């Protein structure tokens, strides 16, 4: 008997109750996190344990992930680098520099819009947009 891992089910479970924003901000990830931490009083830190590794063209590509757990509740924020050495974590969104995933608790529209509005005020940020699950072709790339 063979057990088959259903990646669609896995992706659906992973993305249940999540909100995802795409951000265009040509900044280094550590600079961007510093600005976010300063503006929002968050504490984004790199989490090397959940770094995403993709193999393309016989090479490994590493996409760093920064993490911030809200002190109250179970909401966790993940900030992914969408680009590494000319490759993209989500190739369908080549123009985006960062992907911000909110996961672990229901994210109210008002809170999500407040975050997006705040991020738009940062120097260097050119665009912030919500990404809906239907628009994402390579969802599996975001699963750690």
């Amino acid at each position: 008997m063979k057990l088959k891992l259903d990646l669609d089910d896995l992706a659906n479970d992973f993305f249940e109750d999540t909100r995802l924003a795409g951000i265009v901000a040509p900044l280094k990830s550590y600079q961007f996190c510093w600005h976010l931490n300063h503006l929002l009083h968050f504490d984004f830190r790199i989490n090397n344990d959940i770094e995403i590794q993709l193999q393309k063209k016989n090479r490994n590509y590493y996409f760093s992930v920064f993490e911030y757990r809200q002190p109250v509740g179970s909401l966790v924020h993940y900030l992914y680098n969408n680009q590494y050495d000319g490759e993209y974590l989500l190739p369908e969104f080549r123009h985006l520099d960062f992907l911000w995933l909110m996961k672990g608790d229901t994210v109210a529209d008002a809170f999500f819009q407040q975050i997006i509005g705040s991020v738009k005020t940062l120097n260097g940020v050119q665009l912030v947009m919500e990404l809906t699950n239907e628009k994402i072709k390579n969802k599996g790339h975001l699963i750690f």
Side-chain angles (χ1 to χ4, degrees), residues 31-64:
Q31 289 173 313
F32 185 54
C33 284
W34 185 88
H35 286 297
L36 290 175
N37 289 342
H38 192 73
L39 176 73
L40 302 168
H41 307 289
F42 279 14
D43 190 20
F44 270 110
R45 304 260 174 134
I46 195 161
N47 184 340
N48 293 318
D49 295 337
I50 57 175
E51 177 181 75
I52 309 286
Q53 180 183 338
L54 294 182
Q55 207 169 19
K56 293 181 179 184
K57 305 173 198 144
N58 293 327
R59 279 193 58 197
N60 287 329
Y61 295 90
Y62 302 94
F63 299 90
S64 53

Side-chain angles (χ1 to χ4, degrees), residues 54 56 63 82-83 86-91 93-94 96 141:
L54 294 182
K56 293 181 179 184
F63 299 90
N82 191 38
Q83 196 176 342
E87 280 297 331
Y88 298 89
L89 187 59
L90 294 182
F93 295 111
R94 289 176 126 63
L96 298 176
H141 291 181

Side-chain angles (χ1 to χ4, degrees), residues 55-129:
Q55 207 169 19
K56 293 181 179 184
K57 305 173 198 144
N58 293 327
R59 279 193 58 197
N60 287 329
Y61 295 90
Y62 302 94
F63 299 90
S64 53
V65 181
F66 293 77
E67 179 180 14
Y68 168 64
R69 294 179 176 276
Q70 297 243 175
V72 176
S74 51
L75 186 63
V76 186
H77 301 265
Y78 299 99
L79 191 72
Y80 299 77
N81 240 329
N82 191 38
Q83 196 176 342
Y84 176 86
D85 206 16
E87 280 297 331
Y88 298 89
L89 187 59
L90 294 182
E92 63 269 35
F93 295 111
R94 289 176 126 63
H95 62 291
L96 298 176
D97 297 303
F98 300 100
L99 305 159
W100 184 334
L101 178 73
M102 298 176 201
K103 177 177 170 49
D105 207 344
T106 305
V107 178
D109 279 336
F111 177 74
F112 189 72
Q113 293 307 325
Q114 183 186 349
I115 295 272
I116 284 179
S118 296
V119 173
K120 283 180 179 174
T121 68
L122 288 173
N123 276 342
V125 172
Q126 297 166 2
L127 174 77
V128 185
M129 59 186 260

